[in-house]
Amino acid sequence: MGRSFELINNRWIGDGYPCFIIAEIGQNHQGDIEIAKKLIKMAKDCGADCVKFQKSDLYAKFTKSVLDRQYESPHAWGSTYGEHKQFLEFSKDQYEELMAFASSLNIHFTASAMDDVSVDFLINLRVPFLKIGSGMQDMKTVIRAMEVMNSFNSKVCLLQCTSSYPTPEDEVHLRVMQTYRDHFPQSPVGYSGHELGLTITLAAAALGAHVIERHITLDKSWKGNDHACSLDETELKLLVEGIRTIEKALGSAIKSKQPSEEPCHQKLGKSIVGKQKLEAGIKLCKEHLTVKVGQPVGWPPQDLDLLIGKTLSRDVDEDETITLDCII
């Protein structure tokens, strides 16, 4: 199978397939289903492959003391942390409505499962795949988690992610993607970014990320911790276009002369030419020949050794290109 698998019907991820671009809506919908729909439409219009939300069961994820604590923040949607988090949760009916809306636009839909109850919720919703958050861990924990995951399901993609908002540039560590490749040769790898701007995410694409995820927003100034490091419509469109351009530019690992180089080769490509006037019948040696830009383009310099010992079929002037019709 190699480092690839079918993520969704007829959509594969991994080596040899286009980068799968996830527009992370998360909780940037402000608890408003109409804003959520606008974000889904924005993601589709910008060319993303998938939209993703975050699903939590608060009592499965948090202790009562955490939910009951006072929450004083400019980003708060309630007086306690529990009220704040509940405000941003959608119901089953709302999730079904959003999933149907995404389907009507022909864009994939999923969510992060933030706890075991939410895993069951999303499985029952029949999302095509689940995202499990990074959990702010080290490599030892990643290896253990992969051992557990692979014992049940080998179709796992690992995303390098630093959970700080925004992430400092020197704490992104894109090279971790290569560490994942080395440790898990059967698994696609990718990048989930929380940094400002596009440069680092585009670098992840250039390093071969199979999946890329970035948060999106309708307004970076809105209340909520994620908005400032999210992409607006213009940025998301530029990111998608940039990733697709990078994919084309990465091309093949095989070095070969390209069709677009031919005009330049005809104009400036070097050939073997006569170093002096040469008469028909002479057997060629290196002293008879040199390399110059000439017209027409003739015998390639890299094949000089194949020309040595050949017999000229006609006279060749000094500086004249050696072409096939010169050789017996």
Side-chain angles (χ1 to χ4, degrees):
M1 182 176 66
R3 197 190 299 274
S4 62
F5 60 80
E6 189 176 16
L7 182 67
I8 306 170
N9 290 339
N10 298 318
R11 181 55 163 100
W12 287 64
I13 61 169
D15 292 342
Y17 297 96
C19 179
F20 190 76
I21 302 172
I22 299 173
E24 165 74 78
I25 294 171
Q27 297 186 329
N28 281 356
H29 49 70
Q30 314 298 85
D32 185 327
I33 195 169
E34 295 307 317
I35 291 177
K37 289 179 179 179
K38 288 179 181 178
L39 285 163
I40 294 172
K41 180 68 163 53
M42 167 184 151
K44 173 63 177 179
D45 291 345
C46 291
D49 295 294
C50 182
V51 291
K52 187 174 76 64
F53 290 80
Q54 296 175 4
K55 181 61 182 142
S56 297
D57 181 282
L58 300 187
Y59 293 98
K61 181 178 180 181
F62 301 105
T63 64
K64 187 175 184 300
S65 61
V66 169
L67 294 175
D68 289 344
R69 78 181 182 211
Q70 294 299 301
Y71 191 51
E72 297 179 1
S73 166
H75 302 299
W77 294 100
S79 60
T80 66
Y81 192 65
E83 289 174 354
H84 162 76
K85 295 297 290 183
Q86 188 59 53
F87 182 86
L88 296 170
E89 285 296 322
F90 285 139
S91 67
K92 182 176 184 291
D93 287 345
Q94 288 173 312
Y95 262 95
E96 290 174 344
E97 183 177 344
L98 291 170
M99 194 172 183
F101 181 74
S103 179
S104 74
L105 297 179
N106 197 29
I107 186 170
H108 299 300
F109 177 99
T110 193
S112 292
M114 311 304 280
D115 51 78
D116 55 352
V117 173
S118 296
V119 169
D120 292 336
F121 174 92
L122 293 172
I123 290 172
N124 290 331
L125 194 66
R126 302 182 67 83
V127 296
F129 66 93
L130 297 178
K131 164 82 181 292
I132 304 298
S134 68
M136 298 74 73
Q137 299 298 333
D138 58 15
M139 191 61 190
K140 181 180 178 182
T141 306
V142 172
I143 291 171
R144 178 66 185 125
M146 285 295 286
E147 289 172 350
V148 174
M149 293 287 287
N150 282 319
S151 68
F152 293 97
N153 184 353
S154 62
K155 294 182 178 181
V156 179
C157 176
L158 275 168
L159 307 187
Q160 163 59 0
C161 178
T162 302
S163 296
S164 54
Y165 308 85
T167 305
E169 295 167 359
D170 60 353
E171 294 187 7
V172 172
H173 302 302
L174 293 178
R175 287 191 176 95
V176 172
M177 290 195 299
Q178 186 57 51
T179 301
Y180 288 165
R181 288 189 184 97
D182 295 340
H183 276 81
F184 312 109
Q186 299 301 310
S187 295
V189 300
Y191 175 66
S192 176
H194 302 119
E195 76 281 0
L196 300 177
L198 305 180
T199 303
I200 290 171
T201 304
L202 291 171
L207 289 172
H210 299 125
V211 174
I212 281 178
E213 176 185 73
R214 286 293 303 269
H215 286 255
I216 63 171
T217 182
L218 296 179
D219 189 331
K220 289 173 181 282
S221 68
W222 277 356
K223 183 163 67 174
N225 290 311
D226 292 340
H227 288 289
C229 57
S230 298
L231 305 182
D232 62 22
E233 184 172 9
T234 298
E235 290 171 317
L236 180 60
K237 191 171 190 297
L238 287 172
L239 178 67
V240 173
E241 291 173 349
I243 290 171
R244 299 308 178 211
T245 298
I246 287 167
E247 288 175 328
K248 291 178 184 177
L250 284 172
S252 168
I254 299 171
K255 176 61 180 173
S256 61
K257 190 171 74 174
Q258 298 302 302
S260 63
E261 294 180 290
E262 189 56 30
C264 189
H265 180 248
Q266 289 298 323
K267 181 180 178 181
L268 296 173
K270 291 187 176 181
S271 303
I272 297 173
V273 302
K275 194 172 184 179
Q276 60 206 46
K277 183 174 175 59
L278 303 171
E279 296 180 350
I282 194 171
K283 287 188 179 295
L284 294 172
C285 64
K286 289 184 179 180
E287 287 71 24
H288 296 141
L289 306 168
T290 190
V291 175
K292 293 185 179 181
V293 175
Q295 295 293 328
V297 174
W299 197 280
Q302 60 267 33
D303 292 337
L304 172 62
D305 289 346
L306 299 178
L307 197 55
I308 303 305
K310 299 288 187 183
T311 301
L312 285 182
S313 62
R314 62 173 177 81
D315 292 348
V316 172
D317 290 332
E318 180 181 353
D319 265 356
E320 183 179 347
T321 300
I322 304 296
T323 53
L324 283 174
D325 68 296
C326 301
I327 306 301
I328 296 176

